[in-house]
Amino acid sequence: MGKYKVSLIQGDGIGPELTNSARRILEYLNDNTLAKFDIIEIEAGDDAFIKYGQALPEFSFDAIKKSDVCLKGPVGERAADVILVLRRFFDLYANVRPAKSYPKIKSISPDVDLVTVRENTEDVYLGWEFNADSDTVVTLRIISEKACRRIAEYAFKAAIIRNGKKRVVSVHKANVLRKSDGLFRNICREVSKKYPGIEYSELYVDAAAMNLIRNPEDFDIIVTTNLFGDILSDEAAQVVGGLGMGPAANIGEQFSLFEPVHGAAFDIAGKNIANPSSMLLSIKMMLEWLSDKFNDVNLYIQGKNIENAIISLLKKDQKTKDIGGRLSTVEFTNLVLEELSRY
Ligand code: ATP
């Protein structure tokens, strides 16, 4: 296999600390395994905006287009100018966020292993808002059959591939949003018929929010529209102990982007205390996607090794501050590298 071109956006706030960990892991893989990467540093975010007047300058955009995949640290004030542009350009239609209970991390249940599959291209996030009169604002909620079908197909395929409970629940509010969420629910129902091996159910979003706290271990794949997915996936991250453990993928047909679920966390930036796991688990997801796309099973194994290294450290209570430990970002990364060297 050749070298995979990874465009790396450092990001703002804790972004540089997290991407520093990520870079060290990718360099370790380069030097010690058959997985080879060209890391292409991309200027984008708040600093790029100050320097060039654009959060995603043309030359950065071009460099990302030439790469195989993008790994992104969290961007601060200018987040929307970067991620929304990339999502739109590459048509990254599925936002995939796993939430899993890891050892020795406070979680509502020790057996949570779920994935939120959130439609990523429409809904109120298209930002079609206008003033109807001086007193009233209107926001349009866009839901198309094509997008519903594509995200439903993605969710069912993910349920098949995943070593999970083989369940898909579609989450909506079709009793109130009869047309838009009615369409989403109907398409999910229709698609479910193609996958008899997967148990299909439906939940109203309010019930889903409640059950995520009451019985989070019952969920496998949650498929939902953009706004509900945004909210539920943050809730799910918290159910299993916080944002520091949360990776995310933005998946398209040809290109994908991987990033932590959280933002730039300016309150802890520069202190060497951020948990790099969200970023390292994003690398794991990236390696799985590359493995699938380029039929390179070694990448899948390397991704699994990264997660196993983190699990092994957690079992020994070696943790960062956000999850009840004392290790710094750099110390935790050093230990991950040490674990990896044993595999
Ligand atoms: P945004 O609005 O972009 O989501 P935010 O500042 O509201 O960003 P986040 O940055 O997502 O929120 O994070 C909320 C809090 O969670 C942070 O202030 C920080 O204390 C904590 N946090 C987030 N990520 C991490 C991490 N990787 N390690 C440790 N703590 C984190």
Side-chain angles (χ1 to χ4, degrees):
M1 291 292 158
K3 272 190 167 186
Y4 299 102
K5 291 195 200 83
V6 178
S7 44
L8 183 66
I9 299 177
Q10 164 168 293
D12 308 301
I14 58 173
E17 294 157 82
L18 300 194
T19 39
N20 191 39
S21 293
R23 208 177 284 109
R24 290 182 65 201
I25 300 294
L26 292 176
E27 281 165 2
Y28 171 87
L29 296 179
N30 256 347
D31 295 342
N32 298 282
T33 74
L34 294 173
K36 305 290 174 201
F37 305 96
D38 251 341
I39 303 168
I40 302 146
E41 303 285 345
I42 303 291
E43 286 188 272
D46 294 357
D47 285 348
F49 184 76
I50 292 165
K51 214 161 141 191
Y52 306 107
Q54 277 178 302
L56 185 62
E58 202 61 35
F59 62 86
S60 294
F61 205 172
D62 285 343
I64 297 171
K65 286 181 206 164
K66 287 188 192 127
S67 66
D68 294 311
V69 72
C70 182
L71 183 63
K72 178 184 154 299
V75 171
E77 300 300 324
R78 293 277 151 187
D81 297 342
V82 178
I83 189 65
L84 293 188
V85 174
L86 293 174
R87 276 182 193 159
R88 223 161 271 165
F89 180 82
F90 291 108
D91 194 18
L92 306 176
Y93 68 93
N95 192 309
V96 181
R97 296 180 167 194
K100 194 167 169 177
S101 348
Y102 284 108
K104 308 255 179 124
I105 298 184
K106 220 163 129 197
S107 169
I108 289 183
S109 153
D111 301 314
V112 182
D113 186 3
L114 65 87
V115 180
T116 310
V117 173
R118 159 187 167 198
E119 203 291 318
N120 216 15
T121 64
E122 46 187 35
D123 198 345
V124 290
Y125 284 58
L126 280 176
W128 290 1
E129 296 191 306
F130 55 91
N131 289 73
D133 58 39
S134 60
D135 184 55
T136 313
V137 172
V138 175
T139 300
L140 295 182
R141 184 162 194 260
I142 312 297
I143 303 286
S144 72
E145 181 173 334
K146 180 179 165 225
C148 294
R149 195 173 297 284
R150 192 158 66 155
I151 201 68
E153 287 282 358
Y154 183 92
F156 280 94
K157 283 187 187 126
I160 287 180
I161 295 166
R162 211 171 110 76
N163 192 14
K165 301 176 191 81
K166 309 284 175 215
R167 279 181 203 155
V168 171
V169 57
S170 84
V171 171
H172 55 78
K173 192 71 183 169
N175 52 341
V176 176
L177 302 166
R178 290 193 188 141
K179 281 207 170 285
S180 54
D181 268 14
L183 175 63
F184 175 76
R185 180 204 52 202
N186 291 347
I187 298 295
C188 287
R189 261 183 211 175
E190 199 184 308
V191 171
S192 75
K193 303 220 161 62
K194 284 170 55 186
Y195 298 89
I198 303 295
E199 185 188 322
Y200 172 69
S201 60
E202 294 166 0
L203 271 178
Y204 293 131
V205 63
D206 40 352
M210 195 171 67
N211 286 356
L212 255 181
I213 290 173
R214 204 160 57 175
N215 310 106
E217 64 285 341
D218 285 353
F219 289 91
D220 182 15
I221 302 264
I222 297 170
V223 62
T224 189
T225 46
N226 206 341
L227 174 62
F228 297 158
D230 192 7
I231 299 166
L232 291 178
S233 59
D234 264 27
E235 185 188 345
Q238 209 52 56
V239 162
V240 294
L243 295 169
M245 296 299 297
N250 292 265
I251 306 281
E253 302 285 358
Q254 301 300 329
F255 191 82
S256 292
L257 177 150
F258 298 82
E259 59 179 349
V261 290
H262 55 74
F266 286 108
D267 56 327
I268 57 164
K271 296 184 177 158
N272 191 22
I273 55 171
N275 186 349
S277 302
S278 55
M279 194 74 186
L280 304 189
L281 293 169
S282 298
I283 296 181
K284 177 203 174 224
M285 294 184 83
M286 177 183 91
L287 296 180
E288 283 170 357
W289 182 80
L290 284 170
S291 164
D292 199 34
K293 179 161 191 220
F294 294 99
N295 204 12
D296 182 349
V297 90
N298 173 52
L299 293 184
Y300 183 85
I301 295 165
Q302 301 306 335
K304 199 76 203 142
N305 284 348
I306 294 173
E307 185 180 39
N308 286 340
I310 292 173
I311 291 174
S312 160
L313 293 175
L314 296 175
K315 281 186 180 157
K316 291 183 261 183
D317 254 329
Q318 290 176 315
K319 302 188 279 194
T320 46
K321 198 169 160 219
D322 57 311
I323 47 173
R326 291 161 176 228
L327 294 174
S328 70
T329 314
V330 172
E331 285 166 342
F332 188 80
T333 311
N334 291 343
L335 291 174
V336 171
L337 289 167
E338 223 176 281
E339 286 291 328
L340 284 177
S341 71
R342 300 207 183 99
Y343 300 148

